[in-house]
Amino acid sequence: NLVAGPTLRRKKKKPEQNGAPWTSIGEVGLSGGEMLEREISGEPVLFVKLANDLYAYRNMCPGCGESLEGGSLKVADLGCPVCGRRYDVRRAGRCLDDPGLHLEPVPLLVGDEGAVKIALPSAVG
């Protein structure tokens, strides 16, 4: 004899209420192999386009604390113009010279029309 137990109902997870809000920033306008700094909600964000993929990072070298704007971009390696440390854009900004360092990624979404949204957590904790 089979005894039917209570039916398990799985609730869909709701998005985190304490997460960063998504901010629409329009099109970034980069071609593959280019980067651009834009200030979003008072925070400098570095956008990097590799082929068809767009990445966003807080624009600060974790090694020296300076801006990455004006740095070198060779394939997926982003070099700091001040200290020379190199970061792998495709691998969440991992430092190629010091494994303890990495860039701070900024989550982004690219819509069908090329419009970009980012989730920039507040720098103030």
Side-chain angles (χ1 to χ4, degrees):
N1 290 341
L2 293 176
V3 177
T7 304
L8 293 177
R9 294 181 193 229
R10 295 179 186 243
K11 291 183 179 181
K12 290 184 179 180
K13 282 191 167 187
K14 291 182 180 178
E16 294 292 325
Q17 295 299 318
N18 61 352
W22 288 94
T23 303
S24 245
I25 62 168
E27 290 188 34
V28 176
L30 289 174
S31 297
E34 293 181 341
M35 59 183 163
L36 166 75
E37 179 194 22
R38 283 183 60 185
E39 192 168 302
I40 312 292
S41 301
E43 294 288 329
V45 177
L46 186 71
F47 294 92
V48 181
K49 181 117 183 217
L50 303 177
N52 293 322
D53 299 320
L54 184 64
Y55 300 86
Y57 293 97
R58 286 199 190 264
N59 190 13
M60 185 185 76
C61 174
C64 68
E66 297 296 323
S67 170
L68 293 163
E69 188 175 24
S72 62
L73 183 60
K74 295 178 183 161
V75 187
D77 295 355
L78 172 60
C80 176
V82 178
C83 71
R85 285 184 178 90
R86 298 171 305 125
Y87 300 92
D88 188 334
V89 174
R90 288 193 176 119
R91 298 204 167 157
R94 181 180 55 135
C95 184
L96 300 170
D97 307 305
D98 182 345
L101 298 175
H102 63 85
L103 301 175
E104 186 179 342
V106 175
L108 66 82
L109 296 170
V110 180
D112 294 334
E113 303 295 318
V116 175
K117 289 182 181 183
I118 65 169
L120 190 62
S122 173
V124 178

